[in-house]
DNA sequence: AATTAATATGTAATTGATTACATACATATT
DNA sequence: AATATGTATGTAATCAATTACATATTAATT
């Protein structure tokens, strides 16, 4: 059927062992053999079957990145970082989507159990901390961007509490006291942490917390519209709004604009993630930037280390964030 | 080391053949055996090694989607369609990125040669038609979204010439005669086809072609800004601008706005692709919509058919597009 | 009762690579 | 000259599954 190493051996008039040695550039092979094998490989159009190799070596040199969806292009940079780190060590990165379905996430982790990949990085887990902790005992699993409370698995992320706090502190520094928050109903850890940062910033500045200033929706643009519309129609509308994601800020800004408020003056906006549209959207959005490429790079480096190590590192690594200031905060 | 089918067989007190039969739900196995095997599997926490299985069966039931990058989230729907079609037939979809590097695209196609996947779908090829044609003779390769002139490989796409023509015709129908085009320097087939549609529409309405109205840049937002700025500063600025992608239209609209033109009145804008920001961006963008989910679904269906068929179908399938009318054309 | 058919199970070959071990030969060392 | 070292190569085991084939047992048919 298909051309195998045996065919190459026959044509090159050597043994399969020699063919394998040539193909894997081992030493102690004669120049004659190298030439004969290469010639045979070319003439036959041979390409080694990795299923055989992987089985024998019990490694695939492939890492799976599990993401919720490709809708937002937000994962682009993390994946790039992962690829950079992977390629330099001879690994490939494959991506698969869960569509927010924990069962499907588990199905994809199955590629780990079935040895179809050597390791997996989950970006935004839908499975709970307990399940992942348990699996991380026996398999090379890591998390990136999103940490999970009480989850003992290698994690690379940022300090979302601190980041949100920095953003809100910046708004306070601009003289704003009435500050709104648009966040999500879904209790993802990053939402929880960012909310926490928001509350901490207010508290530390002795600003009383007003529950009417907090809007719980989902992750969509429309939720930003709805949230801002509600907040800005209060008797005392907020003078600034922090959203836990850029997309929410876009909705919020369009809504504020619609209601006749001047963005950057009447009301300031601060987003989170610095997605590419943040500087396309007009007015340009001030936002928190995560070091996505670096997170991707680090998580894969650590994961590959784990694959070789005696004992798995299941620590949590936090990389530094930064604030990007643009028109939406009057900068 | 790892638990294998032999361990299960030993614990269940049956042969490996029986274990395999139970696991694959073959008939002619006693209830006793089924129970014993399932019990052993559970107690050992056994998970079959697919490398062994895949090698023996010489199939992986995995399909690779090769994309340029994840930056734009544009591929999201196509991938979803691909997954839908794949899952119903017991296949998984894996995604990998080329970062516009033809060499890396070839490296990824290597997963096909090395039998690591059963088939591959290329979305936006960087390799040339000749190379892909040749490979498509021996492997299960398909293309989606982007066709390649003179490429004999299974392809699912839309009629880009017709789609662009429809968009420009719509602008003409709105009484515009001076119509600009923002396109790319890079000669991707879709750009070529969309340009062709633009010219055909003008010709058919007896509108003289003005080379100054055509701007060649790249795919970025900034290119849209630059293109529109140049066009709108002509002595006779265009009354409408068609861009070969939505992102270019965003740049163009921001530029027109900056120059003091009223979008939807002074100048109309038509984009292409209907990405999610097209209705977030203000003013909302009129654009051409591709049936992405359907294209994804169809290409995988056809690809799986090919994997089973005697002879490979290397035809080209075009699905219908539609126009989405919003504020940017005064709708 | 004898023959046939159906069911259940096991043994061993198979898939395509890598590699431990054995072996042959050439070269270097004493 | 005898021994040790290094180089080049081949044979066969190995990885973990599936399955053709053989065999034993039971049930059905004549």
């Amino acid at each position: 059927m298909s051309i195998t190493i045996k065919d190459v051996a026959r044509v090159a008039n050597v043994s399969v062992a020699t063919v394998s040695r040539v193909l894997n550039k081992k030493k102690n092979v004669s120049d004659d053999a190298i030439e004969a094998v290469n010639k045979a490989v070319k003439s036959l159009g041979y390409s080694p079957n990795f299923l055989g190799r992987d089985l024998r070596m019990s490694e695939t040199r492939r890492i799976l990145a599990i993401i919720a969806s490709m809708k937002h292009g937000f994962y682009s940079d993390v994946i790039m970082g992962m690829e950079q780190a992977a390629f330099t060590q001879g690994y490939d990165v494959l991506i698969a989507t869960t569509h927010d379905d924990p069962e499907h996430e588990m199905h994809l982790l199955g590629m780990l159990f079935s040895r179809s990949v050597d390791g997996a990085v989950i970006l935004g887990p839908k499975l709970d901390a307990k399940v992942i902790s348990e699996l991380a005992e026996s398999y090379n699993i890591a998390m990136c961007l999103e940490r999970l409370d009480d989850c003992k698995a290698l994690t690379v992320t940022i300090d979302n509490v601190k980041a949100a706090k920095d953003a809100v502190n910046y708004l306070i520094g601009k003289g704003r006291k009435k500050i709104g928050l648009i966040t999500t109903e879904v209790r993802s850890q990053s939402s929880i942490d960012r909310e926490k940062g928001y509350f901490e910033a207010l508290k530390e500045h002795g600003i009383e917390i007003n529950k009417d200033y907090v809007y719980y929706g989902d992750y969509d643009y429309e939720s930003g519209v709805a949230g801002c519309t509600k907040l800005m129609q209060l008797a005392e509308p907020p003078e600034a709004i922090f959203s836990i994601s850029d997309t929410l800020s876009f909705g919020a800004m369009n809504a504020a604009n619609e209601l006749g408020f001047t963005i950057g003056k009447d009301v300031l906006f601060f987003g989170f993630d610095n997605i590419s549209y943040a500087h396309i959207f007009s007015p340009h959005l001030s936002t928190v930037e995560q070091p996505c490429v670096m997170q991707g790079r680090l998580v894969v480096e650590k994961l590959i280390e784990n694959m070789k190590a005696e004992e798995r590192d299941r620590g949590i690594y936090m990389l530094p964030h930064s604030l990007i200031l643009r028109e939406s905060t009057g900068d």
Side-chain angles (χ1 to χ4, degrees), chain A:
Chain A
M1 180 90 121
S2 196
I3 296 142
T4 74
I5 198 171
K6 278 188 193 167
D7 301 312
V8 178
R10 190 169 21 77
V11 171
N13 219 17
V14 295
S15 73
V16 292
T18 299
V19 176
S20 178
R21 286 186 192 108
V22 172
L23 261 41
N24 294 297
K25 300 195 199 305
K26 304 258 156 121
K27 49 185 180 177
N28 294 350
V29 199
S30 69
D31 292 347
D32 284 358
I34 294 177
E35 201 184 336
V37 168
N38 284 334
K39 214 168 126 189
V41 165
K42 208 169 212 175
S43 80
L44 291 171
Y46 169 73
S47 193
N49 182 327
F50 278 16
L51 296 174
R53 162 184 302 187
D54 292 349
L55 173 59
R56 181 59 220 258
M57 314 282 278
S58 47
E59 69 163 5
T60 63
R61 300 191 88 77
R62 257 174 256 135
I63 292 170
L64 181 67
I66 300 178
I67 64 180
S69 92
M70 312 219 332
K71 238 182 276 174
H72 305 297
F74 171 61
Y75 294 120
S76 170
D77 283 342
V78 199
I79 298 287
M80 229 169 76
M82 292 179 56
E83 285 169 348
Q84 285 171 10
F87 292 162
T88 57
Q89 309 216 40
Y91 283 77
D92 275 325
V93 173
L94 297 174
I95 307 159
T97 59
T98 67
H99 299 287
D100 290 319
D101 177 9
E103 276 187 47
H104 196 238
E105 187 170 317
M106 190 52 113
H107 169 76
L108 292 174
L109 285 174
M111 292 187 63
L112 218 44
F113 316 152
S114 66
R115 315 277 152 185
S116 304
V117 294
D118 294 346
V121 179
I122 310 178
L123 298 104
K126 285 292 164 290
L127 289 167
D128 41 284
K130 213 176 130 194
V131 175
I132 295 180
S133 286
E134 221 160 275
L135 292 175
E137 269 175 41
S138 330
Y139 297 98
N140 294 306
I141 296 180
M143 286 191 297
C144 193
L145 292 184
E146 185 86 44
R147 82 188 174 88
L148 229 44
D149 226 10
D150 293 320
C151 184
K152 240 189 131 200
L154 175 61
T155 302
V156 174
T157 177
I158 60 164
D159 187 340
N160 278 295
V161 179
K162 179 76 168 31
K165 203 162 139 184
D166 288 350
V168 176
N169 276 341
Y170 183 80
L171 295 171
I172 295 171
K174 283 261 172 176
R176 312 289 160 138
K177 295 219 154 107
K178 292 178 237 161
I179 299 175
L181 169 68
I182 299 180
T183 181
T184 62
E185 197 90 59
V186 181
R187 301 289 73 206
S188 82
Q189 193 62 44
S190 59
S191 291
I192 293 171
D193 289 346
R194 290 170 195 178
E195 286 165 22
K196 200 172 163 200
Y198 163 84
F199 287 118
E200 279 186 12
L202 296 185
K203 248 177 241 161
E204 281 180 19
H205 285 84
I207 298 172
E208 208 183 333
I209 280 153
N210 181 346
K211 282 198 176 169
D212 291 341
Y213 282 170
V214 182
Y215 180 85
Y216 293 90
D218 55 36
Y219 286 100
D220 295 340
Y221 168 84
E222 281 75 18
S223 205
V225 175
C228 183
T229 304
K230 196 172 166 205
L231 296 187
M232 296 312 286
Q233 284 176 339
L234 290 172
E236 283 191 34
E239 310 152 325
I241 294 181
F242 169 60
S243 308
I244 59 112
S245 94
D246 287 347
T247 308
L248 290 173
S249 286
F250 297 149
M253 289 196 289
N254 273 352
N257 198 52
E258 199 72 31
L259 291 169
F261 292 96
T262 303
I263 295 166
K265 276 191 86 180
D266 299 340
V267 54
L268 310 185
F269 287 89
F270 219 106
F272 209 113
D273 285 342
N274 192 29
I275 64 176
S276 56
Y277 284 92
H279 83 280
I280 289 182
F281 193 96
S282 191
H284 302 329
L285 178 64
S286 294
T287 187
V288 177
E289 182 174 60
Q290 303 198 36
C292 286
V293 179
M294 267 182 44
Q295 286 182 81
R297 221 154 25 192
L298 185 62
V299 76
V300 162
E301 277 165 12
K302 293 276 174 196
L303 187 68
I304 294 180
E305 268 177 34
N306 267 0
M307 302 189 325
K308 293 170 180 165
E310 206 51 41
E311 194 159 353
R312 264 185 264 274
D313 173 3
R314 304 221 256 147
I316 175 162
Y317 296 85
M318 290 196 183
L319 296 183
H321 58 269
S322 57
L323 301 188
I324 309 283
L325 305 172
R326 299 201 183 96
E327 297 168 5
S328 72
T329 49
D331 293 279

